[in-house]
Structure formats: structure tokens, C-alpha cells
Amino acid sequence: MGRRVLLTGLGTFWGGKVAQSLEKHPDVDVIVGMDVTEPIVELERTEYVRADETYSILSRIVDATQVDTIVHTFLVVDSTQMKTKRLHEINVIGTMNLLAAAGCAGTPVRRVVVKSSGMVYGCTGRDPLWFLEETPRTDPPETTIEDSLVSAEGYLRDFAQDNPHVSVTLLRFSNVLGNDISTPFTETLSRGIAPSIFGFDPQLQFIDEDDVVSAIEFATSANVPGIYNVAGDGLIPWSEVAKICGASNLPLPPFGTEAAASILRKMGLVKFPPEILQLLRFGRGIDNSRFKDLGFSYKYSSLGAVERFAKTKRLSKAIGIPRSPYTYDKDVESFFHHSPSVVRSTQSDSTSDTF
Amino acid sequence: MSDNISSSRLTDIDGWGRSESLRSIARRSFQFFYDNYFRVEWEGLEKIPDDGGALLVSNHAGAIPMDAPIIMHGVEQHLGRPVYGLADHFFRQIPVVGTMWSRLGGVPAHPDNAYRLLRDEHQLALVFPEGTKGTSKVFTQRYRLRRFGRGGFVEIAMKAGVPVIPIAVVGSEETMPILFKINSLAKATGLPYFPITANWLMFGPILGTAISLPAKFKLRVLDPVHFNVPPDQDRYSKSRIMDESESIRLTIQENLYDMLAHRGNPWLG
């Protein structure tokens, strides 16, 4: 019998991308994607369920669909996307409810994969240059986003302890770059601005968006319980990142940085939230060797991710590649998924790249 | 436009923030002072290995200590391999200074950093176990070694499976002697200590901070200490660590007394 996968955050960039990649797996029978918003990518056989962000109906879905795997991509790691209250609801309450549903008596769930962030390590001057998976934070979290991720990971740790029969994989990603994804880094660099803190040139680490999707896919297909850092090889100074992307340096004062940044944020010049400003002071490296030892290979190093990003940005500026014209239409999707008049490819054909 | 990604760096800044090109500029400009101002003399430089990791450990003195740049300069010139100087994370937090410090081979003295340098990258790392306790001594306490921390340097060397190479340095104490310290100013400024130095009295606060006195430097590399314990253990016997640490401290102390006994004038050597 094939795998049955439940995916959170189908309407987000990551959820959609991961669903697309899972659709190509012949051994995945069922993909059910949950979100409050409709998918933004074209999907072939993924079923979309509208659910509220805190998954109050989740246990019914798990029960009805008998999923054996939950892929939790819907942890928000970009605090510029929403208000802190909603962020807390999604990351903390959402994860708590999700795990409660996955761990109820007689649950069919045997594997849980969660996409978290290297932000859980924090960023202070007293940190080591590289974090291993077990390196503790130096200071308690100060921002809502870090606090919520730490709490969510805490629930996951409890869940893994309480449910030894479930294989729990926690992936912590470094800063993502890519042409399709929007993060504070991509937004700011695309505008040709590289805010920095005067007198500091931190070592930063990046991962390409394609590597993020393959890493989640890898963790979903292989049975690899544990915590893993997922990031491109190597560190690059921020000034060099700016140079590669052709972005001009916008120095912020080293003292009163947050005050200066909040003015620039209001002017719309800087999109960097406090947790990323802190990175511009001390940087952060997360050691990716444990995930590599499992057999996962990265397509891009940190430098490769930056270069690829810079290149696609230059290209899209030159020829103006439009965004994907796809929009979700419930009736059309329902027709394609369920109508008997649609000729569906067989399982073995679905491995071909039909995107 | 070529389709493949070049993956070529625009700078030579390594994973630790060190830039060999900036370092070599710094070495070229320091060479004159090294030869003619501090007139550095080494004994036993051949005891530092050409390859493989090793932890260099030395005494530390002077309000702004010159021993670090002199050891790094001397070993890099002699062996042609980088030396990473481990120092308090305090430096990392100062704008401009922190960045320059890391470009020139400075690394925050976190045990994880030291382990990675020594074990994974087989580099030379330099550490001053006395820390600011050494550099903040007043002049009347010169050449009397302070406590070697909690022996952390021994534990890291054991874990990384590398030898400790002790170095005794004479001269640093006289470059910027501390007459007394003002603790309230240290607290107010956030500095580890606030010294009033002889240099300040002679040259005023600005020049007195920039100018080190021309003491003659003599450095003696002592025999490498191998611990013969398996690397990568979770922990090592604390009493063994403290014994090794104390014995390394005493060896350096004895050699310092020996070198001082043979030294004539601190300025002429």
C-alpha cells in the first residue's frame, strides 16, 4: 500500500512546492493539503481542504483519510508577513493542535516531518560561529517569531517522546534565497538595497529554494527521525552577498540600530525585522553535516544559492519573466480531480515531469 | 550569458572571517616594527609543527597586549601557515574593530570554535588562558602568571586530539605598563578594565593608547605537551585537566623567570 500524506500550509509557497514534488512519487497514494488560502501552484492530484490555521478539524481529517505521514510546512519564519498575534496562533497553537490530533489514540500517523528554522538558535556575540543540532541558545528568545518557533519545537520534542512509534523529523533551515520565494532577504536584495550595520560584516549562510523542497521531500520519503540543520555549505560575508547581487550598501548606525531601522521600515526602505537585523551584526552558521551524512546532497552551496539568486534576478529584470499565471479555481480543480470524463494518467506515468 | 554558475568568490575571506590578503598587508606593514622596534627574538620555533592542529598557549600582558600580534606574525612568517588568535567575544561586539580583528585572524574564544579549528581544520590556534586577568595586572605584578582560567584550553586540546605548545613571552609587560586601574570607569564604559598606563602619562590619552613602548621581545617555544587521551570524549577528568593546566602554567612561569634572570635592560635585552 502506498503512502498517505497530509500537508499543512498547502496555500503557501513551500506547501505548494512540496505537494508538487510529492505528486511525482509513485509510492505516494494520497496527498491531502490543508490551508486557509487556496493553492498558488498547479497541482495534479493533491486534494485541497480548507481548514482554519489552528487545525481544529484536523483529527477528523486524519481519521477520515487515514494518513500515515504529516508534513508540517506551515511554520511561519518570516515575521514581516503578519501580525504577531496571528503568528503565535499559527506557530504555537497550530503546532500544538496538529500534534494533539496526530497523537490521539488509534492514530494512523507513523511519520511527522516539520520545517523549522535556524532562527531557533538565536544570534548573539557570545555564540559559536557554527551551531550543531544540540548547541543550546545563549540567550532566551526576544522576538515573537523566535519564541514561537522554540515553543513549537518544544511541543514536537514532547510529541516524539510520548509517541515512540512515530518517526519525527525536525528540519532547521538557514536563510532561503530563490526567484520564486519572497523573504526579507529576497525582497530587500531585489530592490538593490543591502542594509548593513556600520562596522559589522557578518558571515551568513544561505540555502536555495530548490534544496529546501528536496530536503523536505527527502525527509518525507526516508525514515530519518531526529533533528537536522539544512543549509548550503560555507559562509559568505554580507558585503560580498551585496556585491554579487549588485545591491548598494545602506549602513545603519551600530548603536540605536533598531530605532533607525524602524524609521527606514516605515519609509519602506528596509524590510528587515529585528531577528534579521541581529543576523547582520553577528551572522550565524548552522552545521549541515548530519543531514549530509544521511545521504542528502545539496545542489547549491551558500555561495551557489546567492549566485543563482543574483543571476535569475538579473535575467528577470532584463526580460521581465512574468509570475506564474496560475490561479486556483475550485470548480475547475474539482472537475479535474473527480470528473469521470477526465482521462487520468496511471500511477507509473505520474513520475514523468508534467509541470 | 553563460548558463552555469561560476561559484567563484569575490574575496578571499574564509569561514572564520580571516582574509589572507589583508593579513599579508598587515604583516608587511608590521614587519618593520617587528624587526626594528620590538626586535623580536625567538627560541625553539621549530617545535611548532608545519602541519596538523596545535594549540599555542602563552602568557599575556600589557594594557593593549602586543604579544598576540607578535606571536601570530612570527609563526606565520616562519611557517607560512595561518594562526588564528582566540580572544574574548568582547572584540567581536565592537564595530569596525571586531570586523578588522576577524579579518586578521581573530576568532571568538568559544570552545566549539576552538574544537572546529583544531580538530576539523587542523589549524594553529593561539590562546591566552589568563585572559584579561593577565593584561589587567598592574606593573608591580609583572611576569607573575595569573590563574589559567578553568583549564578549558587543556580540555579542548584533549577533545581535539592536538598538543598544547606553551610559549613564554618576555617584553609584553613593558610595552604598556599599567600603573593603576579605575574600576568605576571600567563599569561606566563597559570595558573589561580601565587602566591608567605609563604611556598615557608620557603621551596623553590618544597617543598613549596608540604607542607601545619599545621593549625588546624574547619568545621561547617550550616542548609540546601531548595528553595521550582519546579525542572526542564527552568529558575528561577534571582533576587531570587542572593538573595539566597547572603544570603548563608552572613551566611557562619557570621559563619566564629563567629568561628574566638572563635579561639585562628591558629595552635593550
Side-chain angles (χ1 to χ4, degrees), chain A residues 159-196:
Chain A
F159 173 83
Q161 257 170 31
D162 296 344
N163 299 275
H165 59 285
V166 180
S167 155
V168 177
T169 306
L170 173 62
L171 304 177
R172 292 176 178 154
F173 292 93
S174 68
N175 309 302
V176 188
L177 288 182
N179 197 34
D180 300 328
I181 177 86
S182 158
T183 71
F185 274 113
T186 62
E187 288 297 305
T188 308
L189 288 172
S190 311
R191 283 195 231 163
I193 299 173
S196 68

Side-chain angles (χ1 to χ4, degrees), chain B residues 38 61-63 66 139 142-143 169-178 198-199 202 211-217 260 263 265-267:
Chain B
F38 297 117
M66 293 310 293
F139 192 57
R142 62 188 178 277
Y143 297 112
V169 183
V170 164
S172 207
E173 296 276 11
E174 285 83 8
T175 55
M176 203 175 276
I178 298 176
N199 311 48
M202 285 188 258
I211 300 177
S212 290
L213 301 181
K216 178 165 174 70
F217 269 75
L260 288 168
R263 179 172 80 160
N265 184 311
W267 316 109

Side-chain angles (χ1 to χ4, degrees), chain B residues 75-115:
Chain B
V75 176
E76 289 191 352
Q77 291 292 60
H78 182 74
L79 293 176
R81 60 182 294 201
V83 179
Y84 290 88
L86 301 173
D88 198 276
H89 53 75
F90 171 77
F91 291 99
R92 187 186 184 191
Q93 308 185 18
I94 314 171
V96 185
V97 173
T99 306
M100 281 321 292
W101 172 67
S102 96
R103 292 290 173 270
L104 298 180
V107 170
H110 191 290
D112 291 7
N113 291 345
Y115 175 82

Side-chain angles (χ1 to χ4, degrees), chain A residues 129 199 203 240 287 307 311, chain B residues 3 7 9 11 96 99 116:
Chain A
L129 258 75
Q203 304 274 78
E240 199 173 330
D287 187 311
E307 286 181 333
K311 191 184 154 200
Chain B
D3 219 64
S7 277
R9 292 285 305 268
T11 69
V96 185
T99 306
R116 192 173 283 268

Side-chain angles (χ1 to χ4, degrees), chain B residues 1-240:
Chain B
M1 196 157 78
S2 154
D3 219 64
N4 47 22
I5 288 164
S6 64
S7 277
S8 57
R9 292 285 305 268
L10 299 179
T11 69
D12 67 343
I13 298 167
D14 73 6
W16 301 98
R18 182 186 187 274
S19 157
E20 177 52 35
S21 56
L22 283 176
R23 187 75 190 108
S24 86
I25 291 171
R27 273 200 304 271
R28 276 203 296 278
S29 35
F30 190 58
Q31 187 72 47
F32 176 81
F33 297 95
Y34 183 88
D35 290 336
N36 303 302
Y37 195 77
F38 297 117
R39 296 148 291 149
V40 181
E41 265 176 39
W42 284 85
E43 253 179 88
L45 251 182
E46 71 285 350
K47 291 176 187 167
I48 301 174
D50 290 330
D51 47 39
L55 185 57
L56 312 178
V57 167
S58 159
N59 56 313
H60 202 25
I64 295 175
M66 293 310 293
D67 38 26
I70 284 174
I71 294 174
M72 288 167 78
H73 181 94
V75 176
E76 289 191 352
Q77 291 292 60
H78 182 74
L79 293 176
R81 60 182 294 201
V83 179
Y84 290 88
L86 301 173
D88 198 276
H89 53 75
F90 171 77
F91 291 99
R92 187 186 184 191
Q93 308 185 18
I94 314 171
V96 185
V97 173
T99 306
M100 281 321 292
W101 172 67
S102 96
R103 292 290 173 270
L104 298 180
V107 170
H110 191 290
D112 291 7
N113 291 345
Y115 175 82
R116 192 173 283 268
L117 275 169
L118 297 169
R119 177 86 176 140
D120 299 346
E121 300 186 9
H122 314 287
Q123 302 281 7
L124 289 178
L126 167 68
V127 74
F128 299 98
E130 291 170 279
T132 54
K133 291 189 298 300
T135 52
S136 66
K137 324 191 270 294
V138 290
F139 192 57
T140 51
Q141 294 288 315
R142 62 188 178 277
Y143 297 112
R144 281 180 223 169
L145 289 195
R146 287 338 203 205
R147 177 162 61 82
F148 267 20
R150 284 171 281 176
F153 72 102
V154 170
E155 191 168 9
I156 286 301
M158 286 176 166
K159 219 173 215 176
V162 300
V164 162
I165 304 178
I167 302 174
V169 183
V170 164
S172 207
E173 296 276 11
E174 285 83 8
T175 55
M176 203 175 276
I178 298 176
L179 304 177
F180 55 92
K181 292 178 283 182
I182 306 176
N183 289 333
S184 55
L185 276 178
K187 231 172 233 170
T189 53
L191 292 168
Y193 51 96
F194 196 98
I196 300 300
T197 60
N199 311 48
W200 271 38
L201 294 190
M202 285 188 258
F203 309 116
I206 295 169
L207 282 176
T209 304
I211 300 177
S212 290
L213 301 181
K216 178 165 174 70
F217 269 75
K218 287 189 173 177
L219 298 97
R220 184 185 283 175
V221 183
L222 310 176
D223 289 334
V225 181
H226 296 268
F227 299 109
N228 300 318
V229 289
D232 293 322
Q233 303 296 302
D234 282 341
R235 50 191 296 272
Y236 295 87
S237 149
K238 199 74 196 165
S239 56
R240 171 89 198 275

Side-chain angles (χ1 to χ4, degrees), chain A residues 54-111:
Chain A
T54 54
Y55 315 115
S56 46
I57 60 160
L58 189 84
S59 54
R60 283 176 61 199
I61 296 176
V62 169
D63 200 42
T65 55
Q66 288 291 303
V67 289
D68 50 50
T69 302
I70 294 183
V71 182
H72 188 26
T73 69
F74 199 34
L75 274 182
V76 181
V77 296
D78 175 4
S79 66
T80 61
Q81 283 178 356
M82 59 186 70
K83 293 238 160 40
T84 54
K85 201 168 172 188
R86 184 161 165 238
L87 199 151
H88 173 84
E89 288 293 312
I90 294 175
N91 283 3
V92 182
I93 309 301
T95 305
M96 189 181 74
N97 285 340
L98 178 82
L99 295 173
C104 63
T107 172
V109 177
R110 290 295 171 268
R111 188 175 299 175

Side-chain angles (χ1 to χ4, degrees), chain A residues 217-248:
Chain A
E217 194 187 341
F218 179 89
T220 308
S221 351
N223 183 22
V224 287
I227 303 174
Y228 302 96
N229 291 333
V230 191
D233 283 340
L235 300 175
I236 325 167
W238 176 232
S239 61
E240 199 173 330
V241 174
K243 233 179 264 169
I244 295 170
C245 296
S248 33

